[in-house]
Amino acid sequence: MAGSTHASPSADVGIGAVSAPRHVSPALDAWRRFRRHKLAVVSAVILFVMILAIAVGPWIWTVPINEIDFTARLAGPSAEHPFGTDDLGQDLLARMLYGGRISLAVGLAAMMVAIVVGTIIGAIAGISRGSVDAALMWVTDLFLSLPQLPLLLLVIYLFRDALKDAFGVEGGIFILIVVVIGGLRWMPVARLVRAQFLSLREKEFVEAARALGASKWRQVVRHILPNALGPVIVAGTIDVAAAIIAESTLSFLGLGFPPDIPTWGRILFDAKDYLDHAPHWALFPGAAIFLTVLAINFIGDGLRDTLDPRKVM
């Protein structure tokens, strides 16, 4: 009929239908929150570029790290030597690319030692009550009260030669530095994990699991620990930066890797007597350490904001 009106299907949908909430996965939501932290995103890009350069660079820049050329001694940056040379004419770019692998490997390995040890001790203390918790926290406070640098020097002097004989020069020094640095960085992680456990073990979902007969092991592994990992991840990024600085400090003091194994800290140590004549020798490794530590710290800030459910972004 000419006068009749027909409601279109689209009109019916617009009036009566209610749009279903769009499901967002936790990973996608975390990425959305992380990318709003602009400094963290830029830092992640810078760190990725540095890691990529360290991993792929030696295949592209094939100059040997120990190639001596006295005619190019203390030469500044040039097309032939983009980062210049040292007092023996060795190419600094090649040594920086090689040393970056060691410095970052030390930082990551020491972080893993600190996270694993700290998480285990903090979890046991947080889920236990009474004497076990008190004893573990007493040990943690004892380690926190120890002067770290003198203890580092003492342990290195005592065990350096034995580990060199057992695992070789590079392997022995690497294991020693990783264990010593990681062994002196687990205490803040332990206290952080313990605090998380003390809070989470009283939550409703843990009480429900306990009422259903879940053992303490299941409560820890399935319910408490996954919810406590956010702050631990943030602490891990800080430990990477601290471990890189500690390794650089030891190498700068001449107690880290030997001169023929260039780390960023060792290159800085070798350059300290030539700051007036060849400032580029110290500039590039110093800038690499600075950028790496700064980028990791900003990434840690971004992860802290991303993994904090109380922060609205």
Side-chain angles (χ1 to χ4, degrees), residues 98 102 164 167-176 257-258 260-261:
Y98 184 89
I102 299 176
K164 281 182 180 180
F167 300 99
V169 175
E170 186 170 352
I173 295 295
F174 180 84
I175 293 173
L176 178 61
F257 289 89
D260 57 335
I261 302 176

Side-chain angles (χ1 to χ4, degrees), residues 117-161:
V117 175
T119 300
I120 292 174
I121 293 179
I124 295 174
I127 202 63
S128 303
R129 301 176 189 271
S131 59
V132 175
D133 181 19
L136 289 176
M137 286 301 100
W138 181 83
V139 173
T140 303
D141 292 337
L142 175 65
F143 272 85
L144 281 171
S145 66
L146 295 174
Q148 292 198 5
L149 186 57
L151 188 61
L152 275 171
L153 303 181
L154 177 63
V155 173
I156 288 174
Y157 275 122
L158 290 177
F159 298 103
R160 179 170 53 182
D161 293 336

